Amino acid sequence: MDDYLIQSLEKLLFKKTMLYHDLLDCFHRERESLINIDLDRLWSISREKEETCLKIKSIHQEIISTINPEIDQKSFNLNQALDMIPRDKRAIIQKQYLALIKLKAEIEVLRKENMIFIDDSLQFLDEMISVITGEETSKIMYNERCHISKSGANILLSREA
């Protein structure tokens, strides 16, 4: 792989890293909005996350076409690209790759935390609606992890998958 391709790959990885930082910021803002129950802001953040993910996919495709357009996009990962780069020039790309892996892991943790927060909130609201409507006697109790234990009430609210 020549120097021009390596520089192009480095620039694309930098752009991808910046987009992942933007996505991470979206998840932090999403958490704040969930806590503050700011639905308008949540919708705005949702659109922003979708746009950022589309940009990340676009950069991913650019990386593939920079390295080798004939590579299968579904099975491609950056480790394959690292193997194509000469060892003496691999350090910079490898450092960016490791930063991407770290960012992805942070994003995944926040995504899961936000989903749990949403599920717990919906479950709490569902319990409250069950109590108000008298649909079922609810045993609202918190367990040792400060989560509401299920009373067996019908689920009236759920998050979209």
Side-chain angles (χ1 to χ4, degrees), residues 18-132:
M18 292 296 101
L19 288 170
Y20 271 106
H21 277 291
D22 292 346
L23 193 58
L24 182 63
D25 181 57
C26 285
F27 279 100
H28 282 292
R29 288 184 288 125
E30 180 181 64
R31 173 45 88 70
E32 283 178 30
S33 297
L34 287 169
I35 291 169
N36 296 325
I37 311 171
D38 187 347
L39 297 179
D40 292 333
R41 190 168 180 220
L42 278 170
W43 283 111
S44 171
I45 292 168
S46 179
R47 283 188 296 275
E48 188 177 341
K49 286 189 319 189
E50 285 179 31
E51 290 170 8
T52 303
C53 287
L54 287 173
K55 290 177 185 175
I56 289 170
K57 286 180 184 179
S58 174
I59 295 289
H60 184 75
Q61 291 171 345
E62 283 185 60
I63 290 171
I64 291 172
S65 63
T66 298
I67 295 170
N68 184 354
E70 297 172 6
I71 293 176
D72 179 29
Q73 291 186 8
K74 291 181 182 177
S75 65
F76 173 79
N77 78 36
L78 211 47
N79 273 333
Q80 296 169 334
L82 287 173
D83 292 339
M84 298 175 176
I85 298 171
R87 289 193 187 278
D88 59 330
K89 298 179 182 182
R90 195 178 292 178
I92 295 170
I93 304 295
Q94 198 165 24
K95 184 177 177 181
Q96 287 181 321
Y97 176 64
L98 293 174
L100 276 173
I101 290 173
K102 183 181 174 205
L103 275 170
K104 286 179 180 182
E106 286 180 56
I107 288 168
E108 184 62 17
V109 166
L110 275 174
R111 184 188 70 78
K112 286 181 179 179
E113 286 176 358
N114 288 355
M115 285 178 58
I116 290 169
F117 186 89
I118 291 168
D119 286 342
D120 287 348
S121 298
L122 289 174
Q123 185 178 7
F124 174 78
L125 288 172
D126 196 54
E127 288 282 338
M128 296 308 298
I129 291 170
S130 293
V131 168
I132 291 168

Side-chain angles (χ1 to χ4, degrees), residues 129-137 153-156:
I129 291 170
S130 293
V131 168
I132 291 168
T133 60
E135 207 169 284
E136 184 168 319
T137 49
N154 294 333
I155 295 177
L156 302 171

